[in-house]
Amino acid sequence: MAPSTLLAICATVFLTGCASLPRAPLASTDRAYVPDIPRARISAEDGYRAFARSKTDTTPLTILALSGGGADGSYGAGFLKGWSASGLRPDFDIVTGSSVGSLIAPFAFLGPDYDRDLEAIFTSGVAEDLLHVAGISAVVGSGIFKSGPMKDLIAKYADNKLVDAVAARYRKGKLLIIATTNLDAQRTTLWNMGEIAVSNSPSRFELFRSVLAASAAIPGIFPPAFIDVRADGNNYVEMHVDGGVTSNILAVPENILTAHATSLSTKSRVFVIVNGKLSPDPAFTTDLTLPIVARSFQTSVKANTRNAMIATYDFCRRNNWQFNATAIDAGKITKSGPINFDTNYMKELYAYGYAKGASGRGFQSNLDGLKGSSS
């Protein structure tokens, strides 16, 4: 990105709070739901039942959690294809995704047959098209970059056929869960994408794609998604942004992490793909608004991720669950920042992830193993 363009973008950041879209009043109740698809969102009770099962059903679960990480999502996409090539990739009962992980999650959920689409998203150069400055809208709107390219990318790959495929797996008892951040409520919202996919609502395809766009919408960088809901007889419009703001990794819901679950099976497996480094990654930060904001956001999300990983590892240890996690090695040189969608960089990181996934040794069973550097 040219310095002149960067300076222009930085100037707009100061002004983005000067205008806002007209919206209905905030729903201050937990009873809000999406009209026509009332179970599109997963409540705390639903989440507990899905992950903890019942006293009569203690079948082990196989769970995949995909983190955020912007362009570093190419690591996770490559790792998945390499994992498929190794012959060791399991069939997942539950797949969760946040931020860029939400864009990977539907393809991971549907299995190795969709690895080729993931490779195209992260290596063909289409990601560079996401960075179109929104012109005057960057000043009076809600994001520096246009929302159209992101929506077009999602519509191309998360097409109606893919949504129908998600519905078919949901009917078999498999769950795809996407996390967004309800900025009005300052809370994570968990979306049951299978429930959306199987509904008879004419808006199911649009909502499915809107949730993915919301989860990947870095605040201030990409515009948020506005989702219509209804509560107590009134209609509201909620603002949803990047799931990584509140929940960059969702291996199991927070209420299960902190509760004493008595109906858990003892042999469930959790696989976490961190699209980034868990260790600190020192880098020079330019003394301009956008680089400072981006670096601060990235640092905050990394701390969020570390805490989530510690809580998940402790949960697995206490409940005799198998913990497996992979991240970009500390010694790997990466381009810091959530929007460095350079195609050559993403191809290199994809190949690196593929090699780790194909090796059969890409996962670590504890957090200490994720801090070191390996080839």
Side-chain angles (χ1 to χ4, degrees):
M1 185 179 295
S4 58
T5 303
L6 181 61
L7 287 170
I9 292 173
C10 290
T12 67
V13 174
F14 287 113
L15 301 173
T16 54
C18 297
S20 60
L21 296 174
R23 296 170 54 223
L26 167 67
S28 59
T29 173
D30 291 334
R31 294 187 293 277
Y33 63 93
V34 177
D36 300 329
I37 316 178
R39 297 186 63 188
R41 304 205 271 208
I42 297 177
S43 67
E45 294 75 18
D46 289 338
Y48 190 92
R49 284 193 292 269
F51 284 79
R53 298 294 180 96
S54 67
K55 292 182 179 179
T56 58
D57 181 9
T58 56
T59 306
L61 295 168
T62 300
I63 301 165
L64 173 66
L66 297 151
S67 85
D72 287 351
S74 52
Y75 170 75
F79 189 97
L80 280 166
K81 187 169 184 179
W83 197 5
S84 298
S86 74
L88 300 174
R89 178 173 164 180
D91 182 54
F92 304 112
D93 297 299
I94 301 174
V95 175
T96 73
S98 184
S99 195
V100 74
S102 71
L103 302 183
I104 300 172
F107 305 95
F109 180 71
L110 294 175
D113 289 345
Y114 287 78
D115 286 348
R116 182 174 298 178
D117 287 338
L118 267 182
E119 183 175 9
I121 292 171
F122 287 94
T123 66
S124 69
V126 295
E128 288 191 6
D129 293 334
L130 299 177
L131 304 184
H132 288 278
V133 178
I136 190 64
S137 294
V139 179
V140 300
S142 53
I144 292 172
F145 298 110
K146 296 178 180 179
S147 62
M150 176 72 79
K151 291 180 179 178
D152 291 344
L153 176 68
I154 292 173
K156 177 180 178 178
Y157 289 98
D159 57 13
N160 292 2
K161 183 178 179 181
L162 178 140
V163 176
D164 287 339
V166 169
R169 276 188 63 80
Y170 181 64
R171 292 188 182 98
K172 296 179 180 179
K174 310 297 184 180
L175 284 177
L176 172 62
I177 301 172
I178 299 300
T180 64
T181 297
N182 182 332
L183 208 55
D184 298 316
Q186 293 188 319
R187 295 175 62 177
T188 302
T189 297
L190 303 183
W191 297 88
N192 186 340
M193 304 301 280
E195 187 69 28
I196 296 171
V198 300
S199 76
N200 294 321
S201 171
S203 65
R204 67 188 180 106
F205 298 115
E206 179 183 358
L207 179 59
F208 191 101
R209 291 188 274 266
S210 291
V211 171
L212 297 182
S215 188
I218 303 170
I221 305 298
F222 295 108
F226 295 96
I227 297 177
D228 296 331
V229 298
R230 188 168 180 81
D232 299 330
N234 297 310
N235 295 323
Y236 301 91
V237 180
E238 295 177 339
M239 178 187 285
H240 287 260
V241 298
D242 194 325
V245 172
T246 52
S247 184
N248 198 44
I249 289 178
L250 176 76
V252 292
E254 184 178 352
N255 65 312
I256 299 180
L257 284 175
T258 56
H260 179 65
T262 59
S263 56
L264 293 170
S265 71
T266 58
K267 296 183 180 180
S268 289
R269 297 180 295 171
V270 172
F271 296 91
V272 182
I273 297 179
V274 179
N275 291 301
K277 298 179 182 178
L278 283 176
S279 58
D281 194 18
F284 177 80
T285 304
T286 305
D287 189 15
L288 291 171
T289 301
L290 183 58
I292 292 171
V293 170
R295 182 69 170 173
S296 298
F297 177 78
Q298 184 185 26
T299 301
S300 176
V301 169
K302 180 168 286 192
N304 167 328
T305 303
R306 281 290 301 174
N307 290 335
M309 291 290 284
I310 291 169
T312 301
Y313 174 73
D314 183 62
F315 169 86
C316 290
R317 182 179 55 80
R318 285 186 286 109
N319 292 283
N320 197 23
W321 281 26
Q322 186 184 119
F323 175 86
N324 309 272
T326 186
I328 298 174
D329 293 323
K332 175 68 176 177
I333 297 176
T334 56
K335 294 184 177 181
S336 178
I339 55 173
N340 285 325
F341 295 119
D342 177 77
T343 301
N344 289 331
Y345 168 68
M346 294 176 71
K347 284 182 176 180
E348 178 186 342
L349 197 56
Y350 180 93
Y352 167 75
Y354 180 93
K356 284 191 70 174
S359 72
R361 302 183 302 276
F363 284 108
Q364 302 289 342
S365 60
N366 56 64
L367 297 181
D368 290 338
L370 295 171
K371 296 177 183 177
S373 173
S374 63
S375 59

